[in-house]
Amino acid sequence: MSDLSQFPITRRWPAQHPDRIQLYSLNTPNGVKIGIMLEETGLPYEAHLIDIAADVQKTPEFLSLNPNGKIPALIDPDGPDGKPLPLFESGAILIYLAEKTGKFLDPAQRYETIAWLMWQMGGLGPMFGQLGFFHKFAGREYEDKRPLERYVNESKRLLGVLDGRLEGRDWIMGDYSIADIASLGWVRNLIGFYEARDLVGFDDFRNVGAWLERGLARPAVQRGLVVTAKG
């Protein structure tokens, strides 16, 4: 049996199955990426809900795993050379799990797939997140609407980039990959939780809409979306 006692986070969130991947997350757009990936790959894992509304991600135990204080993070008890591997940043975790399993990262398209993953990490996620803040949360009370306009316009631009990429393709790389897994939760969140469908003219991006429907129809995606949902 794996010994994870070297990781302080396991004192606050004990591992009932220490031989499985330990996932620390919440079903946010970044958090669901790893739940989906684990479900898609079939890797055995144990999920621990990290309630960011209660600021538990700022506790010493969590910060010992991710000094940046964000979800998701994980420990793989069977990492490289059979040693436990702690890892944070959703993009890095997706690449690691893809390489561990040989799934959803075609070697022939490796760098282009990673480029689209980085596009999501650096653009799609941050811009959609800012739009959500200024449209639905505290930012909507700001009298100056220029920030909202900026993020609406940039979100539309990014949707246009994705729509163009999906012309004639079912998935971003042709075949389903970590690029899709990284982006599905964010697009779903934009038109769902952020209530920005009309704001960004989402229905004009028909390729994106069809891609989202295909993604959300996957059983592993449906399961991954609720892996660390609050009860």
Side-chain angles (χ1 to χ4, degrees), residues 112-156:
E112 191 177 5
T113 306
I114 292 175
W116 280 102
L117 173 61
M118 295 301 105
W119 173 82
Q120 182 281 307
M121 297 287 293
L124 198 73
M127 295 304 104
F128 285 9
Q130 293 288 355
L131 185 155
F133 173 78
F134 285 102
H135 175 58
K136 183 173 181 178
F137 298 106
R140 68 182 177 180
E141 305 300 330
Y142 294 7
E143 292 185 10
D144 187 347
K145 298 304 178 185
R146 286 175 295 180
L148 174 60
E149 292 173 2
R150 170 180 172 80
Y151 293 117
V152 167
N153 290 335
E154 182 62 5
S155 294
K156 287 181 178 179

Side-chain angles (χ1 to χ4, degrees), residues 169-185:
R169 294 182 177 90
D170 283 345
W171 307 106
I172 293 173
M173 297 306 304
D175 292 328
Y176 186 70
S177 74
I178 57 174
D180 302 291
I181 293 172
S183 299
L184 281 168

Side-chain angles (χ1 to χ4, degrees), residues 24-183:
Y24 306 90
S25 192
L26 182 67
N27 64 330
T28 66
N30 281 330
V32 299
K33 296 176 189 176
I34 311 308
I36 291 171
M37 184 64 172
L38 289 168
E39 287 291 331
E40 291 279 16
T41 58
L43 286 168
Y45 68 94
E46 180 178 353
H48 304 273
L49 189 151
I50 305 301
D51 188 357
I52 60 176
D55 283 342
V56 296
Q57 76 280 10
K58 298 177 183 178
T59 60
E61 293 90 349
F62 189 87
L63 292 171
S64 69
L65 180 58
N66 182 1
N68 195 38
K70 302 287 185 180
I71 56 97
L74 63 70
I75 302 170
D76 183 359
D78 184 26
D81 299 322
K83 298 178 181 178
L85 175 70
L87 199 58
F88 63 94
E89 282 296 329
S90 60
I93 295 172
L94 286 175
I95 294 171
Y96 170 70
L97 294 176
E99 293 182 340
K100 180 181 177 74
T101 59
K103 296 180 179 180
F104 310 121
L105 182 56
D106 184 346
Q109 297 179 308
R110 173 181 172 79
Y111 294 108
E112 191 177 5
T113 306
I114 292 175
W116 280 102
L117 173 61
M118 295 301 105
W119 173 82
Q120 182 281 307
M121 297 287 293
L124 198 73
M127 295 304 104
F128 285 9
Q130 293 288 355
L131 185 155
F133 173 78
F134 285 102
H135 175 58
K136 183 173 181 178
F137 298 106
R140 68 182 177 180
E141 305 300 330
Y142 294 7
E143 292 185 10
D144 187 347
K145 298 304 178 185
R146 286 175 295 180
L148 174 60
E149 292 173 2
R150 170 180 172 80
Y151 293 117
V152 167
N153 290 335
E154 182 62 5
S155 294
K156 287 181 178 179
R157 187 190 72 80
L158 291 164
L159 286 169
V161 171
L162 181 56
D163 202 68
R165 175 65 182 180
L166 290 167
E167 183 66 36
R169 294 182 177 90
D170 283 345
W171 307 106
I172 293 173
M173 297 306 304
D175 292 328
Y176 186 70
S177 74
I178 57 174
D180 302 291
I181 293 172
S183 299

